[in-house]
Amino acid sequence: MSGGALVVRLDGAGDVLLAGPCVRAVRTGHERVAVLAGPQGEQAARLLPGVSQVLVWRCPWVVREPPPVEAGEVHRMVEEIAARSFAEALILTSFHQSPLPMALLLRMAGIGRISAISTDYPGSLLDVRHRLEEDVHEAERGLSLARAAGFALPPGDDGALAVRAPLPPTAHLTGQEPYIAVHPGATADARRWPRERWVDAVKELVRRGHRVVVTGAPDEKELTAHVAGAHGTDLGGRTGLHELAGVLARARVVLAANTGPAHLAAAVGTPIVSLFAPVVPAARWRPWRVPHALLGDQDAPCRASRAVDCPVPGHPCLNGVSDQDAADAAETLVEETGR
């Protein structure tokens, strides 16, 4: 097909990484596949195999702190997309998002074939209106849309998450292997294991004879320094997403909440201890296609609330997980996978 394809995923880094299998499927039908991502997903989009170009837009109906809707900015985005003459587009959304505002902009940009999952009547905004059951993992949800649009993964591709190779060297950051990686941050308070539990988990892992590195974004440096303390190696703010992928790839196991770096760990094939708050369903967001242990009460009162801040006093979904529970799960995964 001429003109290439545009895959739209406008949320965070983890969401974009979960779109990777869909992108690879679309790539089998197009020589050129671009991704339209939000600012938080840009680095992840640049890591996806099969992506030839990344466009970035802070979308007013997707990002958590949305900018105002301004006609000039919307028209600028439409013109930027139109200038690239895409033959078709696939709009990837989570179950609680509508693809139709983006479909309108893509139609205005002259894209002739647009596919999306939509429960709402799309009129002439969509050419392929796909529907599927709700409790489908986000990675499979994207692949399902690709199949509905006529694309399949290439032979030998199992649909796991992936990032571009080679990964950068990281021994200058981590020291020598082996080590366990701990990522205590998360974008939403409701998904965070209490910081003192992270501190205790690092101490417990070190007591059991493991080296521990603690990772985090630049705005999490205070958290990572506190969690690492005198026992772990603090890498807070010292890695971009590509270097973080290298750190996680070489770890024996990764401990993390339901957050982007957990999906990055899955993309590099590292087992994950997932401290998973059930504010969103684990069936849709748990680590994909890698060995993992899911910790946390999945039937807690916050279940499926999509809360950003914990709505239940005492944060019972994760407060019931002890540092010993997390360390036990990590050691079990190390033993089972032989890492």
Side-chain angles (χ1 to χ4, degrees):
M1 299 181 187
S2 63
L6 177 67
V7 176
V8 180
R9 185 78 218 209
L10 291 163
D11 348 46
D15 305 293
V16 173
L17 290 167
L18 289 166
C22 173
V23 168
R24 300 197 305 272
V26 174
R27 181 66 178 78
T28 64
H30 289 278
E31 292 184 2
R32 178 171 63 105
V33 177
V35 170
L36 173 59
Q40 291 183 313
E42 178 183 1
Q43 285 190 56
R46 298 189 187 284
L47 291 183
L48 294 182
V51 173
S52 56
Q53 184 179 30
V54 177
L55 309 180
V56 183
W57 188 41
R58 191 166 170 241
C59 179
W61 56 86
V62 174
V63 298
R64 184 173 298 170
E65 296 179 359
V69 177
E70 297 179 347
E73 174 61 18
V74 171
H75 285 296
R76 182 198 67 78
M77 194 67 244
V78 169
E79 291 171 359
E80 184 173 347
I81 294 170
R84 287 159 174 80
S85 303
F86 295 111
E88 68 176 295
L90 289 80
I91 307 170
L92 302 188
T93 53
S94 296
F95 67 97
H96 58 278
Q97 297 170 329
S98 171
L100 299 186
M102 192 70 230
L104 174 61
L105 269 60
L106 296 177
R107 201 59 101 194
M108 292 170 61
I111 294 181
R113 185 172 188 256
I114 303 172
S115 303
I117 297 170
S118 181
T119 57
D120 300 319
Y121 172 65
S124 59
L125 294 179
L126 298 179
D127 300 287
V128 178
R129 178 195 183 189
H130 184 46
R131 285 180 277 189
L132 73 170
E133 295 181 4
E134 289 188 355
D135 273 335
V136 174
H137 195 280
E138 286 289 299
E140 176 55 34
R141 182 179 172 89
L143 266 177
S144 178
L145 177 61
R147 289 192 292 267
F151 304 104
L153 288 167
D157 190 327
D158 65 358
L161 307 189
V163 295
R164 293 178 186 269
L167 295 174
T170 53
H172 64 289
L173 295 168
T174 63
Q176 294 303 307
E177 304 171 36
Y179 58 84
I180 288 174
V182 165
H183 189 90
T187 54
D189 284 342
R191 300 182 188 182
R192 293 175 186 159
W193 202 30
R195 63 162 55 194
E196 295 309 317
R197 289 288 169 82
W198 284 112
V199 171
D200 291 342
V202 170
K203 290 178 180 177
E204 179 64 16
L205 288 166
V206 171
R207 187 189 68 79
R208 298 185 187 195
H210 303 284
R211 288 188 60 245
V212 177
V213 302
V214 182
T215 62
D219 61 356
E220 295 171 329
K221 290 171 69 174
E222 187 275 331
L223 172 64
T224 61
H226 181 74
V227 170
H231 302 276
T233 300
D234 178 17
L235 299 184
R238 297 179 62 191
T239 63
L241 204 66
H242 199 200
E243 282 187 310
L244 179 59
V247 170
L248 300 182
R250 298 175 180 104
R252 304 180 81 183
V253 64
V254 173
L255 284 72
N258 174 27
T259 188
H263 299 303
L264 185 61
V268 295
T270 302
I272 302 160
V273 176
S274 177
L275 286 301
F276 198 102
V279 291
V280 293
R284 301 170 185 170
W285 294 99
R286 69 194 301 156
W288 180 248
R289 297 282 178 89
V290 291
H292 65 276
L294 199 72
L295 303 184
D297 181 2
Q298 300 306 300
D299 294 315
C302 65
R303 181 180 181 186
S305 65
R306 293 173 21 212
V308 174
D309 298 307
C310 182
V312 183
H315 201 28
C317 65
L318 290 180
N319 266 350
V321 180
S322 71
D323 56 293
Q324 289 90 354
D325 293 333
D328 287 346
E331 291 193 325
T332 297
L333 283 171
V334 167
E335 182 178 351
E336 289 178 349
T337 59
R339 290 177 69 93

